[in-house]
Amino acid sequence: MSDLKGFTTRRTRSGILVARVHYTADPERDATWVEQEKRKYSSKAAWDREQEIVHDAGGGELVFAEILNRFGHKIIITDPKFEIPPYWPLVAGFDHGKTNPTAVLLC
């Protein structure tokens, strides 16, 4: 849907807009950058998962398992009095990673 290099959008069946930003959207991330960055990954599958946005690359690791085990106490709201107002629009973002931290945002 987009003409910008490395940036695509699509809508889900329920109408939710999904935007995907690939590293090629950054003009400074050229072939030299790719070769230097690839050296930081333990395998092609790890590179493909994080940088090429290939969700099924690799061995089927549990999504968020390591992050939730280590940081769940900091990111999971447990206050029983907290309520999300029903009029708040929901906006979500997701950036998975093994070399760099996974980020999930729901606001």
Side-chain angles (χ1 to χ4, degrees), residues 13 20 27 33 46 53 61 64 70 74 77-78 100 105-106:
R13 288 186 199 130
R20 178 178 283 184
W33 178 88
I53 317 175
E61 295 83 357
F64 306 127
R70 291 179 55 198
K74 293 182 177 182
I77 298 170
T78 58
N100 297 305
L105 174 64
L106 177 61

Side-chain angles (χ1 to χ4, degrees), residues 32-95:
T32 302
W33 178 88
V34 170
E35 288 309 309
Q36 290 172 346
E37 286 298 304
K38 278 186 176 181
R39 293 183 199 132
K40 298 178 182 178
Y41 291 83
S42 60
S43 67
K44 182 179 183 325
W47 168 265
D48 285 350
R49 273 192 311 272
E50 186 162 332
Q51 296 295 341
E52 299 298 341
I53 317 175
V54 178
H55 298 294
D56 58 353
E61 295 83 357
L62 296 174
V63 177
F64 306 127
E66 182 179 337
I67 298 299
L68 288 176
N69 285 334
R70 291 179 55 198
F71 302 108
H73 66 285
K74 293 182 177 182
I75 61 176
I76 299 171
I77 298 170
T78 58
D79 182 350
K81 296 176 188 168
F82 179 82
E83 291 184 27
I84 298 173
Y87 55 85
W88 283 8
L90 290 179
V91 178
F94 175 73
D95 180 16

